[in-house]
Amino acid sequence: MAGGRFSLDLARPSRQHWLGYVLLTPAVLLIAAIIVYPLFVSIDLSFQNVGIARLDQPRRPFTLANYERLFSSPDFWNACWVTLKLILVVTSACCVLGLATALLVNNRFRGRSVARLLVAMPWAVPEVIAVVIFAWIFDSSFGLMNWVFLSLGFIDRTINWFSDPDAAFAVVATTMIWKGYPFVSIMSLAGLQSIPEDYYSAARVDGANALQRLRFITLPSLMPVIGVTTVLVMLWIFRDFSIIYVLTGGGPLKATQTLSIMTYEQAFSFFRMGYASAVGVVTLVICVVAAKLTMRRAPDTL
Amino acid sequence: MKQSLPARLVLYASVILTCAILVFPIYWLVITALSQPDQLRQLPPKFWPDEPRWGVFAKILAERPIFLWLGNSALAALGAVSISMVVSVLAGYSLSRFRVRGGESLGLFILTAKMLPATLLVIPLFGIFRMTGLIGSMWSIILAHATLIIPFTTWMLKGYFDTIPRELEQAAMVDGCSPLGALFRVILPVSAPGLAATALYGFVLSWSDYAYARTFLTNVQDNWTANLGITTMKGEYISNWSDISAASILVALPILAVYLFLERYLVGGLTAGSDK
């Protein structure tokens, strides 16, 4: 990304500038209309006592009540905690599984291209369909998972996956891991293929075994890719709506209610759009700050 | 390096085992669709149905407007991707080639816009679409999906244009091409793979949306997208997993086909800009 961008040394610079602005105009206008303006509206809403957002009516008086209520609400802190737990569990599992599968299919063997397709296939399954699959696998009466656990002797009575808070959290995490690891796998595989073969030959000449080559060549070379990918996975979990909402709706007892689910519930189940906007604005701020902190060195790639 | 026989066996065994476990949920979806509904209510489960009921797909197509849902999803994706591509190609090219005042901050804003939670943006969009009467129409979903797609496509295309040598335009302009002509006659044709990858990625983003469809389209059944239709089935049909699985397969099929046949492009789009 470095060096000499935005410059075209041929031809008249004045004309080039002019064209540059013209080319940007449609995007700027559209982004202003459908992203920037709505963003301002939601920030504005978060400072008003609004039930259902009606833009054709005069705005309500300015108030900080939504934010005061938010920070003193146990539901908000619960949602923060659930989001954090989900991020920790799902991100680490996705990274381990994604990296392991990428290393596996990076080997040379017959049928490698098919194996690569299969390993990353869940990426192409729409989230709602993934929810259908796992809701059925974890069905309380005839689901496969209860049968497997019973047969293996892990449990002696069927688990009611969607009415027990910890079990429901586990189901949500499992679904998200299955949907999320292929992205890490795809990115790591691309990173693996860009490591020069010479590194490995040199290491072999020096007598490094397979484990040492992994530890001292593969992992360090992959670090930048893994860093970016981890942040992207975290942001995805932060903002994801469909998996949790369709699977559990945030329940039971708010055990799977993340900040995103809380925002949506407040806005469209309880019709407290001012309060919901406040939750959403806080979520966005946390997202941006977290991403900036973790990506200080390479903000370009986000 | 040649591997020893035991090493090869271990490798093949672990590849097969890994693929089997990870793809099993998709296999199970297919098996569930093909099983008789009453067979699903007995344990131990059957991993291959006695008589696969291939007729389930015809049955579900007759009972549910699946083609209408798929058509709506395709229309939303097509509309949102077309709008996004037009503005992103121009903007990406401008950001890649010209020094524009405010260009850097625009780029930064677009990066930040990728982090916008849909659950936040959906609230003001709901208000705006209600005021303008767009709620329930396909335009509401097309514009909402464009908010998801534009930040990605602009940045992906800028990255792609960055990899195309400037000498190409310079040569074209020496030969008498205008700067705009150079973009359309030289740069865009050589960027075809990048444009395809970007458009495909936008298509996947639109096809996967549920939040916007649920919020804007729930009350207008004729405009339901595939994902919205499936979730309404899940709500009412808790017991009939066979039908719901069959419908799910039909909905997932287009995107799985895109993945299986155009994987190279999709992956190229995903990884673009991350390894730099």
Side-chain angles (χ1 to χ4, degrees):
Chain A
M1 210 122 307
R5 63 172 160 175
F6 303 148
S7 64
L8 196 66
D9 16 70
L10 195 85
R12 301 142 296 262
S14 61
R15 192 166 173 204
Q16 300 303 334
H17 282 213
W18 173 77
L19 187 61
Y21 289 108
V22 171
L23 292 177
L24 270 184
T25 309
V28 169
L29 290 179
L30 193 61
I31 289 174
I34 64 176
I35 301 181
V36 180
Y37 171 62
L39 191 58
F40 276 112
V41 170
S42 62
I43 294 172
D44 191 34
L45 283 173
S46 75
F47 289 110
Q48 301 171 56
N49 180 13
V50 175
I52 296 180
R54 303 187 62 110
L55 303 182
D56 42 356
Q57 289 183 352
R59 69 184 299 284
R60 306 282 183 86
F62 177 90
T63 169
L64 287 173
N66 288 325
Y67 289 95
E68 282 163 11
R69 203 174 132 206
L70 176 69
F71 290 113
S72 60
S73 146
D75 283 355
F76 170 73
W77 296 109
N78 172 66
C80 288
W81 170 233
V82 171
T83 312
L84 183 68
K85 258 198 310 185
L86 205 58
I87 285 179
L88 290 178
V89 173
V90 176
T91 310
S92 44
C94 282
C95 283
V96 171
L97 198 55
L99 194 58
T101 48
L103 287 171
L104 185 64
V105 297
N106 195 41
N107 284 300
R108 285 209 193 104
F109 56 87
R110 209 169 291 172
R112 176 166 78 160
S113 47
V114 176
R116 282 185 182 171
L117 271 181
L118 289 179
V119 150
M121 201 141 115
W123 184 80
V125 176
E127 292 189 350
V128 167
I129 309 298
V131 168
V132 168
I133 297 175
F134 280 90
W136 166 229
I137 288 181
F138 286 96
D139 184 63
S140 318
S141 347
F142 298 102
L144 193 63
M145 209 40 101
N146 266 334
W147 178 76
V148 170
F149 278 12
L150 276 174
S151 320
L152 294 175
F154 289 169
I155 50 176
D156 45 17
R157 205 175 333 134
T158 56
I159 300 178
N160 213 335
W161 292 98
F162 293 98
S163 52
D164 178 75
D166 290 333
F169 184 85
V171 176
V172 167
T174 309
T175 312
M176 292 191 100
I177 292 167
W178 186 72
K179 193 65 192 93
Y181 85 85
F183 178 66
V184 183
S185 186
I186 291 169
M187 300 284 275
S188 311
L189 197 57
L192 281 172
Q193 284 162 348
S194 67
I195 304 175
E197 190 57 36
D198 302 358
Y199 289 11
Y200 292 103
S201 327
R204 277 200 206 93
V205 170
D206 290 345
N209 63 29
L211 212 60
Q212 286 169 325
R213 292 199 296 268
L214 177 72
R215 165 79 182 77
F216 293 108
I217 300 178
T218 312
L219 290 183
S221 318
L222 274 186
M223 267 342 263
V225 177
I226 294 178
V228 179
T229 313
T230 309
V231 176
L232 290 175
V233 171
M234 282 165 62
L235 284 174
W236 165 67
I237 301 164
F238 227 114
R239 295 171 309 161
D240 187 73
F241 169 76
S242 35
I243 290 184
I244 306 175
Y245 192 79
V246 183
L247 205 49
T248 66
L253 302 173
K254 300 191 165 49
T256 55
Q257 192 176 70
T258 60
L259 287 165
S260 288
I261 302 293
M262 184 181 174
T263 310
Y264 194 87
E265 278 263 283
Q266 290 293 339
F268 294 101
S269 303
F270 306 126
F271 295 105
R272 297 182 199 132
M273 295 200 180
Y275 183 53
S277 300
V279 184
V281 169
V282 171
T283 313
L284 176 62
V285 171
I286 299 176
C287 270
V288 173
V289 170
K292 286 277 177 287
L293 282 182
T294 33
M295 296 296 297
R296 235 171 327 169
R297 265 179 297 160
D300 275 9
T301 43
L302 254 189
Chain B
M1 281 232 310
K2 269 264 177 252
Q3 291 156 310
S4 61
L5 187 65
R8 294 188 67 114
L9 282 180
V10 170
L11 177 62
Y12 277 104
S14 34
V15 168
I16 291 170
L17 190 69
T18 311
C19 288
I21 294 175
L22 294 174
V23 179
F24 178 79
I26 299 174
Y27 171 80
W28 194 235
L29 181 74
V30 177
I31 293 309
T32 306
L34 294 178
S35 301
Q36 303 290 345
D38 52 328
Q39 266 190 357
L40 294 177
R41 282 191 287 275
Q42 49 185 285
L43 295 173
K46 284 206 160 57
F47 289 91
W48 181 254
D50 296 335
E51 316 152 28
R53 56 170 203 153
W54 299 105
V56 70
F57 295 107
K59 171 180 171 273
I60 199 74
L61 282 174
E63 283 176 3
R64 300 280 166 165
I66 307 261
F67 281 128
L68 176 72
W69 295 347
L70 289 171
N72 288 336
S73 284
L75 181 64
L78 220 63
V81 170
S82 318
I83 294 176
S84 308
M85 284 302 282
V86 170
V87 301
S88 305
V89 163
L90 303 179
Y93 184 69
S94 171
L95 289 173
S96 163
R97 291 295 199 265
F98 296 109
R99 185 186 298 277
V100 173
R101 196 170 303 164
E104 303 250 344
S105 14
L106 180 74
L108 270 177
F109 176 79
I110 291 174
L111 278 179
T112 317
K114 281 176 161 185
M115 290 180 242
L116 268 178
T119 43
L120 170 63
L121 213 56
V122 73
I123 301 170
L125 285 177
F126 176 80
I128 293 169
F129 290 151
R130 248 169 63 108
M131 188 177 68
T132 49
L134 287 179
I135 205 120
S137 73
M138 288 310 286
W139 277 110
S140 65
I141 207 74
I142 288 174
L143 289 175
H145 287 181
T147 66
L148 290 173
I149 298 172
I150 290 176
F152 279 92
T153 48
T154 306
W155 209 249
M156 272 164 81
L157 287 170
K158 179 200 176 292
Y160 197 82
F161 291 138
D162 283 343
T163 65
I164 295 176
R166 273 148 225 276
E167 286 75 17
L168 268 180
E169 290 120 300
Q170 295 173 355
M173 284 191 272
V174 168
D175 289 347
C177 224
S178 70
L180 212 56
L183 169 62
F184 284 103
R185 296 212 192 106
V186 180
I187 301 300
L188 288 189
V190 300
S191 311
L195 296 178
T198 312
L200 264 180
Y201 192 66
F203 180 82
V204 174
L205 279 180
S206 167
W207 197 272
S208 322
D209 164 69
Y210 169 68
Y212 287 122
R214 193 206 113 88
T215 315
F216 300 145
L217 303 179
T218 300
N219 293 330
V220 186
Q221 292 213 7
D222 287 343
N223 286 345
W224 280 3
T225 60
N227 281 342
L228 185 55
I230 290 291
T231 54
T232 58
M233 286 183 73
K234 180 176 177 281
E236 67 192 61
Y237 258 150
I238 280 305
S239 52
N240 199 341
W241 287 104
S242 174
D243 282 8
I244 215 183
S245 300
S248 299
I249 292 171
L250 294 174
V251 168
L253 222 48
I255 216 102
L256 278 175
V258 163
Y259 172 72
L260 290 177
F261 295 112
L262 303 169
E263 185 243 11
R264 195 174 297 260
Y265 289 107
L266 269 181
V267 169
L270 264 186
T271 50
S274 61
D275 47 340
K276 284 198 281 272

